Amino acid sequence: TSAKLADASVDTAKLATETFGEAMSMCKSEPYWDQPLGAFCSGSLVGPDLIMTAGHCVTSESDCQDTKFVFGFGIREAGKYPNSVAAGDVYGCAQLVGRLQENSGADWALIRTDRPVAGHVPLSVNRGAVPNKGDKVFVIGHPAGLPTKVAGGAKMRDPSPDGYFVATLDTYGGNSGSAVFNTTTGRVE
């Protein structure tokens, strides 16, 4: 998760959050109405100190320096919504390793964190074969900045464009940078 911090202490980092329904002027019957918004993009650990996200989420080295990368922004118990994480689960940017953002193509960034990420295992990434049309996929991320959500039941529609693929994923703004997993292999596509 890429997030804004309201305050950080030795043990806890308080996230700058607001209620989803109030922020979006929604009816109380809408899903997730009372959950906190605390992220502006999603990202994934792909190396001991490497975060993969969307290029439009981190647009420059100075933008990267102003961004915090947060692990653990999720709901662990029904009705108890997070507004903080362990301070050790917040990482800064040491370097914007690379990024590409094309208008109708690739949109990625790779960030080196300020220290190796502890307590989390890097994801396995498909670095070889192109996925097949019809492959089942799912996404894990932070739609609209909400706590971690998993959206499955999707299929690869068109894996052929250069720099991206088209799938039937149920995503929102805030999912930018989310890992898309192949359901069969468990690897990030």
Side-chain angles (χ1 to χ4, degrees), residues 1 15 69-76 82 84-86 89 120 142 147-148:
T1 302
L15 302 172
F69 302 91
V70 176
F71 289 81
F73 182 57
I75 298 171
R76 300 200 186 335
S84 65
V85 296
D89 275 340
H120 302 277
H142 299 273
T148 305

Side-chain angles (χ1 to χ4, degrees), residues 10 21 23-24 30 33 39 41 46 57 62 78 97 99 101 135 138 147-148 153 175 180:
V10 174
M24 302 297 179
E30 291 295 324
W33 186 93
C41 277
V46 294
C57 293
S62 63
V97 177
R99 80 176 282 281
Q101 181 182 359
D135 280 357
F138 66 97
T148 305
N175 270 117
V180 175

Side-chain angles (χ1 to χ4, degrees), residues 6-40:
D7 185 30
S9 71
V10 174
D11 297 323
T12 305
K14 184 166 175 40
L15 302 172
T17 63
E18 57 185 320
T19 303
F20 179 51
E22 291 174 348
M24 302 297 179
S25 300
M26 297 165 54
C27 296
K28 286 190 176 185
S29 61
E30 291 295 324
Y32 315 125
W33 186 93
D34 58 344
Q35 291 188 15
L37 298 179
F40 63 87

Side-chain angles (χ1 to χ4, degrees), residues 81-186:
Y81 301 133
N83 66 0
S84 65
V85 296
D89 275 340
V90 178
Y91 294 81
C93 171
Q95 175 189 14
L96 177 57
V97 177
R99 80 176 282 281
L100 182 60
Q101 181 182 359
E102 298 174 333
N103 288 338
S104 59
D107 183 9
W108 61 267
L110 190 63
I111 290 98
R112 186 169 313 283
T113 55
D114 58 1
R115 64 193 188 281
V117 175
H120 302 277
V121 178
L123 297 174
S124 177
V125 177
N126 176 4
R127 299 181 192 276
V130 173
N132 295 307
K133 182 177 182 177
D135 280 357
K136 293 180 180 178
V137 293
F138 66 97
V139 64
I140 300 176
H142 299 273
L146 289 161
T148 305
K149 303 287 182 251
V150 178
K155 291 184 180 178
M156 189 69 61
R157 284 183 40 206
D158 185 0
S160 67
D162 187 28
Y164 69 99
F165 54 79
V166 180
T168 61
L169 293 162
D170 191 9
T171 60
Y172 296 83
N175 270 117
S176 294
S178 293
V180 175
F181 296 85
N182 183 301
T183 302
T184 302
T185 67

